[in-house]
Amino acid sequence: MVIVFDLDDTLYDEIDFVKSGFREVSKYLGKNEYYDFMYDIFLKEGSGKIFNRLIEKFSLDVSLQKLIEIYRFHKPQIKLPKDSLRVLRFAKKYKTALISDGHYIMQQNKFNALNLEKFIEYPIFTDFYHTKKPKLKPFKIVMEKYVNKKNFVYISDNPKKDFFAPNELGWKTIRYKNPNGIYKHIENNAHYEVENKEEIIEILTKLNKMYNSR
């Protein structure tokens, strides 16, 4: 069995990266009040035009692109929650991979900050391969890596794009309904849905028994 993870809002809460990025931008600009402004806008309006609004509000002499680069490429101050650590430690007895969208340098920085190299054998950052979910390509790359394996499981949070491809390819899919995530109100389309990560371990154990009994 190959256990494949998503990253953002699955192994950690992406809001922690957002806060880390806002802190880094505020540090570069030299005022803590900028953090409060950005976070308030984020909570009210989402992430779309935050830096535009920041520059306009405070008449900042800085380019939009510069702020985006600072946010996107900073080394994030994030860590794995304990429940994710338990799942990852359990998964180490199997083959492990990761499929994550987003700019590949940004995702690699997150991967490194979380020390996921201790647990994930084969990370796939889709941007590096000029693809993204819900396309089949990143999932096929994992299958080509583990060509001798028949059973794959994908664990992720976003029903809008994450499960179509693995479902089509015959994988089992587990949706972690993250209470802090932006997709928590989206209807599930994975084989399993959990709100507690301990349940992921139970499902993986059952699936492994099922595969071994064939």
Side-chain angles (χ1 to χ4, degrees):
M1 183 167 71
V2 181
I3 301 173
V4 188
F5 294 94
D6 175 47
L7 180 55
D8 299 314
D9 275 339
T10 300
L11 289 177
Y12 82 108
D13 290 342
E14 191 172 10
I15 187 65
D16 294 338
F17 176 83
V18 172
K19 291 177 179 178
S20 176
F22 289 166
R23 282 193 294 268
E24 196 69 20
V25 169
S26 299
K27 180 180 176 182
Y28 173 80
L29 295 173
K31 285 190 177 181
N32 291 333
E33 68 178 297
Y34 297 152
Y35 173 89
D36 295 330
F37 176 81
M38 287 184 286
Y39 191 56
D40 185 58
I41 294 296
F42 176 80
L43 292 178
K44 291 177 179 177
E45 303 176 13
S47 59
K49 298 288 184 181
I50 288 175
F51 298 134
N52 306 69
R53 296 282 301 277
L54 181 69
I55 292 169
E56 180 182 341
K57 170 71 174 178
F58 297 98
S59 302
L60 299 177
D61 184 20
V62 62
S63 72
L64 174 63
Q65 189 59 36
K66 179 63 177 178
L67 298 187
I68 292 172
E69 288 175 359
I70 291 169
Y71 176 87
R72 181 177 287 171
F73 301 133
H74 82 286
K75 293 185 177 179
Q77 300 298 310
I78 55 177
K79 63 180 183 179
L80 287 169
K82 290 180 180 179
D83 54 1
S84 288
L85 275 169
R86 286 192 287 271
V87 174
L88 287 164
R89 286 171 180 149
F90 173 86
K92 279 193 76 173
K93 66 182 77 171
Y94 305 96
K95 296 297 183 182
T96 55
L98 179 139
I99 296 174
S100 180
D101 287 346
H103 192 289
Y104 74 92
I105 294 176
M106 180 173 70
Q107 298 308 97
Q108 180 74 65
N109 286 344
K110 295 174 185 177
F111 187 90
N112 294 341
L114 295 169
N115 296 310
L116 286 172
E117 72 282 353
K118 295 179 180 179
F119 305 100
I120 306 292
E121 297 174 336
Y122 192 54
I124 295 291
F125 304 114
T126 59
D127 179 55
F128 184 81
Y129 295 91
H130 307 292
T131 186
K132 61 182 177 180
K133 297 175 284 185
K135 294 184 179 179
L136 295 173
K137 182 177 179 178
F139 297 89
K140 286 185 174 180
I141 291 172
V142 172
M143 295 177 80
E144 289 166 5
K145 168 69 175 179
Y146 298 107
V147 67
N148 294 323
K149 296 291 183 179
K150 295 180 180 179
N151 304 307
F152 295 80
V153 183
Y154 191 52
I155 303 166
S156 192
D157 70 300
N158 182 3
K160 292 180 72 174
K161 65 174 183 175
D162 289 352
F163 304 117
F164 296 107
N167 284 345
E168 183 176 337
L169 291 169
W171 295 27
K172 292 297 183 183
T173 49
I174 303 172
R175 187 261 184 107
Y176 170 54
K177 191 175 182 180
N178 189 329
N180 299 316
I182 62 174
Y183 304 111
K184 57 181 176 288
H185 300 302
I186 305 298
E187 187 176 349
N188 181 49
N189 56 6
H191 293 107
Y192 303 91
E193 181 180 75
V194 303
E195 296 185 21
N196 183 327
K197 290 179 187 173
E198 297 292 342
E199 296 176 63
I200 295 174
I201 294 175
E202 295 174 11
I203 293 169
L204 291 173
T205 300
K206 290 177 183 177
L207 287 173
N208 186 56
K209 287 180 180 178
M210 180 182 72
Y211 294 142
N212 288 336
S213 67
R214 289 178 177 175

